[in-house]
Amino acid sequence: MSATPQKNRVPRRVLAAAAGLATVGALVAAMPAGAHDRGHGHGHHKPRTVDVQLLSFNDLHGNLEPPAGSAGTVAEKQADGTVKSVPAGGVEYLATSLRTARKGHPYSVTAAGGDMVGASPLLSGLFHDEPTIEALNGLDLDVTAVGNHEFDEGATELGRLQNGGCHPVEGCYEKGKKFKGADFPYLAANVTSEKTGKPILKPYTVWKKNGVKVGFIGVTLEGTPNIVTANGVKGLKFHDEIETVNKYAKELDRQGVKSIVALIHEGGAPASSSYNYDCDSPGAGDGVSGPIVDIAKGITPKVDALVTGHTHQAYVCTVPDPSGKPRMVTSASSFGKLYTDTTLTYDRRTKDIVRTSVKSATSANHVVSRDQAKATDMTALIARWNTLAAPIANRPQGFISADINGRGSTAPEKPLGNLIADAQLEGLAPADKGGAVVAFMNPGGIRSDLVYAASGSEGDGVVTYGEAFTVQPFTNMMNVVDLTGAQLVAALQQQVSGSNEASPKILQVSKGLTYTLDLTKAGADRVVASSILLNGEAIDPAKTYRVAMNEFLAGGGDGFAALGQGTNKLVGASDLDLFNTYLAAHSTATAPLAPPATDRITVVQ
């Protein structure tokens, strides 16, 4: 059996008589550090330190079933230096992994780094992610930070996921059953209401067992409004991650909580894509770059470990805190494919985590492998919701002849990105539909691959509604706007400059648009302006072009301010509708759609 949920845990306090304190102190001092406390009536002979097991994961995104294709694998470095692709993920296996890991650890706490829901496959997304919250309750998650995707449907819906109650529009999904909500706290320390100035959910929580106390502070990235639709963040303010964590760490410290973990939905880019590479080579934290490094360097030494997310990468690094002491910074990829197991050595006398050397906090990422037993309660949960989803999920939309890689492609131009952009252009090119001449798709909006192998009983090569939904789960409305040639060029340059300079966001473009991306150059110069052609002609800076994109990009999302300057907006069908219409129009069982060529962006490296 796994541990009972947090709210049912009753702390037991060990009281030592004042007279015996000196002797206890002497006994404790003689105890070896790191000795395990099994908590079985040792009375005052308890060891000075106890190992707290911190299990963590991030960016699940409602992936209850094992993610398909390359999006469902992790890269594993082998002893001979080669890299192997290992299938991973699925909550049936995640539950087993966590339950197995907890065995023999009386002090075990499970925490997450945000984006548990949002951009979810149909099985969860169709039901506003109630199935995922139910699964997380079953996994015995103790606490999570909010991520940016927790705001996809706004603060009110996030509140419903926390507190329960049936959906305001769609009601209850199962007869006679009311949605209970999360039995773990969602933490949103740096998200405040514009009206009240107070955090919209709890800023922190304290996990307690037998007098051992660990505080958790949860924040999402300050830039959340730039990557979520305007409706999702209406009436909210997002604050600096460092300042917020430091503020609440001080508050916890004043309450006598000296052991603190920060759950931060912001991350880094590791030097290797293998989950098991050494992130501290050649020196501490040398193997990771990106926003989380500066955040880690700015967070008060009162915080003992950082569980991070957002970038969907895997790393276990030690980044020195502002006092120069080593501190763990971890991230466990995405979609439930990995979990991190960190040992925090808790000193009963100081109530703090011992961080004198790296060895005192050991941490590693582990694969949620699919060759272990499935957790039967999760299998039953998936089957129950699949029965409800089946009538919609199993409808065939089109046919493909091979895998069309999207999320799983590491190239700037992705075959599935081209397919989506072409579908958007074709659907919005007619004069009465917007008259678009080019379409742009944000790479982050492509959530999976289109996989040739059947996901159910539909047969290989059949694309079902459920599979199409998993690729584009936001059902963003499409916009067609007027942009000048100069704004068009500026938008392409914003892929590799400004907020996107450190980690470029390469837009997927419809057929007819070609240009050269020179990665040997810096900033905006990486997009070779003179190479940009539309249907073989150079872009005229003064001319007006009708451009199709989803409402997120049309709002200037993902750092594309130029795309937010469009005028004469026409709102079209949803991105998913256009995608499904295109599949139906361009494929049959006998003439399936082949993966499109990737010849629109010429990359110089």
Side-chain angles (χ1 to χ4, degrees):
M1 272 297 291
S2 58
T4 50
Q6 172 66 40
K7 55 175 69 156
N8 301 332
R9 295 185 186 140
V10 181
R12 283 194 327 219
R13 290 194 169 77
V14 180
L15 299 172
L21 277 180
T23 5
V24 174
L27 275 170
V28 165
M31 290 288 180
H36 289 273
D37 168 23
R38 295 284 178 231
H40 294 312
H42 291 311
H44 62 268
H45 294 293
K46 278 189 170 177
R48 164 95 180 246
T49 61
V50 44
D51 284 347
V52 175
Q53 178 189 52
L54 172 63
L55 299 176
S56 56
F57 58 98
N58 52 277
D59 297 275
L60 179 66
H61 290 288
N63 280 268
L64 302 181
E65 294 175 294
S70 55
T73 61
V74 289
E76 182 177 74
K77 194 175 176 191
Q78 306 299 298
D80 63 2
T82 59
V83 175
K84 188 172 138 191
S85 192
V86 182
V91 293
E92 293 160 295
Y93 303 112
L94 180 59
T96 300
S97 288
L98 294 175
R99 288 163 189 173
T100 305
R102 287 176 190 135
K103 284 182 183 151
H105 294 276
Y107 296 89
S108 181
V109 56
T110 305
D115 277 8
M116 294 296 98
V117 300
S120 307
L122 188 83
L123 175 62
S124 187
L126 190 62
F127 306 106
H128 296 276
D129 282 312
E130 290 181 21
T132 296
I133 298 296
E134 192 187 318
L136 292 170
N137 288 344
L139 288 175
D140 287 323
L141 181 62
D142 288 296
V143 57
T144 182
V146 293
N148 52 293
H149 282 280
E150 262 81 17
F151 294 93
D152 284 348
E153 294 185 44
T156 308
E157 173 64 3
L158 172 56
R160 185 182 78 87
L161 291 181
Q162 175 72 83
N163 302 315
C166 296
H167 193 269
V169 179
E170 292 170 32
C172 301
Y173 294 111
E174 294 178 287
K175 223 178 163 166
K177 275 178 94 171
K178 190 179 160 193
F179 173 58
K180 290 193 180 76
D183 65 15
F184 51 89
Y186 254 116
L187 304 181
N190 69 331
V191 188
T192 58
S193 154
E194 281 178 357
K195 273 195 192 126
T196 66
K198 291 188 168 68
I200 59 159
L201 292 167
K202 284 169 71 162
Y204 59 80
T205 191
V206 181
W207 178 86
K208 301 175 185 148
K209 187 171 182 187
N210 298 346
V212 171
K213 289 194 283 194
V214 182
F216 289 88
I217 303 166
V219 295
T220 184
L221 70 156
E222 188 185 4
T224 293
N226 308 328
I227 52 175
V228 173
T229 56
N231 273 346
V233 294
K234 215 173 168 177
L236 305 177
K237 282 188 92 155
F238 291 78
H239 304 269
D240 181 86
E241 304 94 339
I242 299 173
E243 284 171 23
T244 305
V245 171
N246 290 354
K247 171 184 158 181
Y248 288 111
K250 203 181 272 182
E251 199 169 302
L252 281 165
D253 187 52
R254 278 202 302 267
Q255 292 172 19
V257 179
K258 307 292 182 187
S259 303
I260 303 172
V261 175
L263 309 175
I264 304 178
H265 191 71
E266 176 61 291
S272 158
S273 62
S274 299
Y275 78 88
N276 57 337
Y277 86 107
D278 181 3
C279 188
D280 287 336
S281 167
D286 285 348
V288 71
S289 59
I292 201 60
V293 178
D294 289 334
I295 291 172
K297 286 177 178 167
I299 283 180
T300 171
K302 290 185 199 302
V303 173
D304 298 297
L306 274 59
V307 170
T308 74
H310 187 57
T311 57
H312 291 207
Q313 303 297 317
Y315 47 85
V316 172
C317 309
T318 47
V319 179
D321 72 18
S323 72
K325 273 166 79 178
R327 181 165 59 189
M328 298 304 316
V329 178
T330 67
S331 174
S333 183
S334 65
F335 300 174
K337 293 183 287 191
L338 297 176
Y339 71 93
T340 314
D341 188 338
T342 304
T343 303
L344 299 172
T345 302
Y346 182 94
D347 185 324
R348 288 180 179 281
R349 200 161 61 177
T350 63
K351 299 188 170 66
D352 207 349
I353 302 299
V354 184
R355 284 200 289 128
T356 46
S357 73
V358 179
K359 295 289 168 280
S360 62
T362 54
S363 187
N365 273 325
H366 300 276
V367 179
V368 175
S369 77
R370 296 184 197 166
D371 53 12
Q372 57 187 324
K374 294 179 178 184
T376 52
D377 56 333
M378 294 295 152
T379 306
L381 181 148
I382 288 169
R384 212 179 82 233
W385 289 101
N386 261 332
T387 304
L388 288 176
I392 294 169
N394 300 339
R395 288 203 306 257
Q397 303 297 313
F399 305 85
I400 55 173
S401 63
D403 285 2
I404 303 181
N405 281 352
R407 193 84 195 173
S409 163
T410 52
E413 181 186 352
K414 307 171 193 311
L416 189 50
N418 287 358
L419 178 61
I420 290 168
D422 288 352
Q424 294 177 352
L425 178 61
E426 183 169 297
L428 301 170
D432 61 334
K433 298 278 193 286
V437 293
V438 64
F440 291 131
M441 174 65 190
N442 53 311
I446 306 168
R447 304 306 298 186
S448 68
D449 302 336
L450 263 192
V451 179
Y452 177 76
S455 60
S457 56
E458 77 274 13
D460 290 345
V462 180
V463 180
T464 63
Y465 184 86
E467 289 165 339
F469 182 98
T470 298
V471 169
Q472 295 205 95
F474 297 108
T475 47
N476 270 318
M477 300 314 288
M478 291 300 300
N479 290 182
V480 185
V481 299
D482 281 352
L483 286 176
T484 64
Q487 287 167 328
L488 242 173
V489 172
L492 290 172
Q493 290 173 330
Q494 282 164 359
Q495 301 177 108
V496 289
S497 63
S499 60
N500 294 330
E501 179 151 11
S503 77
K505 290 196 169 80
I506 305 303
L507 294 166
Q508 306 300 289
V509 300
S510 55
K511 60 172 173 280
L513 186 77
T514 55
Y515 70 95
T516 297
L517 187 64
D518 187 346
L519 297 177
T520 64
K521 296 193 165 131
D525 291 342
R526 288 186 271 191
V527 170
V528 183
S530 59
S531 71
I532 306 171
L533 302 176
L534 182 58
N535 302 322
E537 286 183 20
I539 300 285
D540 178 349
K543 194 177 154 189
T544 297
Y545 297 85
R546 293 290 284 164
V547 184
M549 62 193 108
N550 59 43
E551 59 192 337
F552 169 65
L553 279 178
D558 268 352
F560 291 101
L563 296 180
Q565 294 164 356
T567 54
N568 292 334
K569 178 167 83 176
L570 181 135
V571 178
S574 77
D575 50 9
L576 182 61
D577 285 348
L578 291 181
F579 186 55
N580 284 331
T581 301
Y582 188 88
L583 287 172
H586 292 271
S587 67
T588 61
T590 50
L593 197 64
T598 48
D599 52 6
R600 299 168 194 184
I601 305 171
T602 303
V603 182
V604 179
Q605 282 180 316

